[in-house]
Structures are given as C-alpha cells and as structure tokens.
Amino acid sequence: MRVLIAPDCFGGTLTAREAADAIATGWREAKPDDAVTERPLADGGPGFVDVLHAALGGDIRYISVTGPLGKPVEARWLSVDNPHTDGRRVAYIESAEACGLHLIPAELRPESCETATTRGVGELIAAAVDDNDVIVIGLGGSGTTDGGADMLAALSDAGPRTGRALTDISLVAASDVENPLLGPHGAARTFGPQKGASPEAVERLEAKLAAMEVLKPVSDIPGAGAAGGLGAALLSLGATMTSGAGLVRELTGLDAALDDADVVVTGEGSFDWQSLRGKLITAVASGAAERGIPCVAIAGQVSVGRREMGAAGVQEAYSVSDHVGSVQKSIADARKSLIATARHVARQWSR
C-alpha cells in the first residue's frame, strides 16, 4: 500500500516532523512492504515556519523580540521568493514564536492569562516589512488574549523607524480556527481556560475585548478570535483572513501527495470539536475525501464522536492515551507511545 503520513504537531510533546517520523516508524515496523511517505504539516500554529521552510526553502531570519511575559525571546521568520505570489517576496511569521503558550510556564498561566502580551508579534512584523512584499502571519498556539492590542502598539511605535509603510504590504492572517472575537465561541470563552483563565478572568477578558473600538467592525469575521483576538487586530489593519491549514496544503503540495496515496494518516495532540473548525485534520480529510481514499487520525486524545468525524471525512480515529493505558503514559514517552499506536493502526488498515 501507498501510505501518506501527514500530521500536525502533538501539543507540547512532538513537532509535526517528529510525529510524522514516529507514525512512519510504527507503520513500517508492522507493514515493512508498504511505501510510506512522510509529509509533516501545520495549520498556522506551532511548526508553521518549519513546515513551510522544508517545502519552500528560503531564508530563516532570527530576531530577539518581546515574549508573552515581557522578557526577550528569540523568534524566527521565513523569507522566500514564492512562485505562488507572482514573484513577490513573502515573509512567513509564526505568532507562537513570540507569544506562544509554550513560552509560559504552567504555574504562571493563571496570572499571565490577563497580562500576556503580543508585542513581540508586532516586532516580528516590523522587522519583516522592509524586504518583503507580502507578510503571512500564522495564528495558533498563543498564550495571549489581548486582542492584539500590544501588537498594534508595537507596530505604531516602529512605524517612524521603518523604511517602508505597512500599507505598502499585503498582510495575510493564516488562522487555525474559525472562531469570532466575542461570545460563547469567541477568543476569551473558548480559549481563555486553556491559557489558565478562571471563569472570572474569562469574563474580564471578554469585557476587555468587547471594549476595543478598533476591533468592533471585524469582531464577527470567522478567525477574528484566533490567537486571543490577534486575528481581529490583523483584520483591522486590512489583512486577508485565510485558512492556515488550507494554505499549508497548497504550498506543501499535499494534493499531489494525496493523488499518489491509498490511505492517509493524519493527527494532532487532541482531536476534539475545535479540530472540526478549520484545523489541519479537516483539511487533510477533505483532500482524501475528494479522491475517495480513506483518512484515519491518530491523536493523543480523541473526544469527537463517530458521526462528527465521519462528516469531516475521517473514517476512524485512534487515541494514543487509550492505546497505551493513560494520558500520563502517553506523555512520559510520547515517541514510543505514538510508534506503538501507529503499529496497531497499520495492522488495521494495511491490506
């Protein structure tokens, strides 16, 4: 069989490349005669720059920016001459490099959930302005819910120092979710608890976002709630909102790889209801469905029902934590656990 392995990263345990390698290793151990192709992916969150660099080449640039806790962190972006943009030079920025949840220790999150800053994202954009015609900002994995206020402030401060106006640049927000800014499915109420916010803090964050006048005209646009409202802030600057997973699907040549596959295996850390709202698994499953080939998912944890996953194009989903016995065991040796699960999946799906 021709098997395509196309996962996202697995939370804070494995990068997309590491996850693809682990799944491929397990599959080959179970079915050594199968032809296995690895295609690690991303949807705008962590791994966005690495995945696109592997696919497009280009130059990785490094800069020290303000991290989510106000201390300097080293961040990267990718600058590349992209044939998909008529020869215009494109910068690909991963917002999580500057404001990612992984940059905030777990014990500090209940406090930082209301103070974490996106200033570093603005500093990354300002650094990329001079020698790029298009700037694509991947949204996902943030530890912030400031509505992009600090990003906007950083861009305002940097304006007089840049040799080129931001209005001369095409901005693209590549979102991993379709959530609006406010309401029950908005930035604060949906993602705030994941960033350490108590119910009381969630309501304070919701009120703060609702009070930001600059965001009101764009608050209902799908993706405005991405990265704690960073999506809305970019929309307020005139950015075009696009699916991060769809963009990566196009730029990495995923469709060509799907054309040559008999089965595709995708995955991520948690396959839940949010996965069905613009995240990577749905993009992979959609491509597989268009070709009439089965798509199976492997995730650290699975909480999506069969009907929902079937509607999204996923035939079956396998939980690593269920397979090895517990969440703790699956995290203790994430690679070994994923390999073991992949061996099991291969025995089920390879002819």
Side-chain angles (χ1 to χ4, degrees), residues 154-246:
L155 288 172
S156 178
D157 293 343
R161 298 195 300 273
T162 60
R164 195 176 186 193
L166 192 61
T167 51
D168 296 331
I169 304 295
S170 296
L171 288 176
V172 179
S175 175
D176 68 338
V177 296
E178 301 171 344
N179 302 64
L181 179 65
L182 304 171
H185 299 297
R189 291 180 177 148
T190 299
F191 305 112
Q194 300 172 10
K195 303 173 186 182
S198 65
E200 296 78 15
V202 164
E203 294 311 310
R204 289 193 295 269
L205 289 167
E206 177 80 1
K208 187 180 294 186
L209 293 173
M212 294 180 65
E213 291 292 332
V214 70
L215 304 186
K216 289 183 178 179
V218 298
S219 63
D220 292 333
I221 296 177
L230 195 54
L234 289 167
L235 286 167
S236 76
L237 293 173
T240 300
M241 183 66 68
T242 192
S243 162

Side-chain angles (χ1 to χ4, degrees), residues 25 44 70 84-85 100 129 136 140 171 175 187 231 248 250 282 285 304 308 311 314 322:
T25 297
H84 295 271
T85 54
V129 163
V136 181
L171 288 176
S175 175
V248 171
E250 174 188 357
T282 55
V304 175
E308 291 82 2
V314 177
D322 287 351

Side-chain angles (χ1 to χ4, degrees), residues 13 300 320-321 324 326-335 337-338:
T13 58
V320 177
S321 59
V324 301
S326 71
V327 173
Q328 291 73 23
K329 287 182 179 179
S330 69
I331 293 174
D333 193 334
R335 174 177 167 78
S337 298
L338 188 52

Side-chain angles (χ1 to χ4, degrees), residues 82-145:
N82 190 336
H84 295 271
T85 54
D86 301 320
R88 294 180 294 167
R89 195 159 183 86
V90 184
Y92 294 97
I93 288 172
E94 185 179 312
S95 62
E97 290 259 323
C99 68
L101 186 62
H102 68 283
L103 298 173
I104 305 174
E107 65 272 14
L108 298 182
R109 292 172 188 174
E111 178 181 351
S112 70
C113 66
E114 295 187 72
T115 60
T117 176
T118 55
R119 185 171 184 85
V121 181
E123 293 166 353
L124 272 171
I125 294 171
V129 163
D130 282 341
D131 59 353
N132 292 280
D133 305 298
V134 182
I135 298 178
V136 181
I137 303 96
L139 304 177
S142 81
T144 56
T145 315

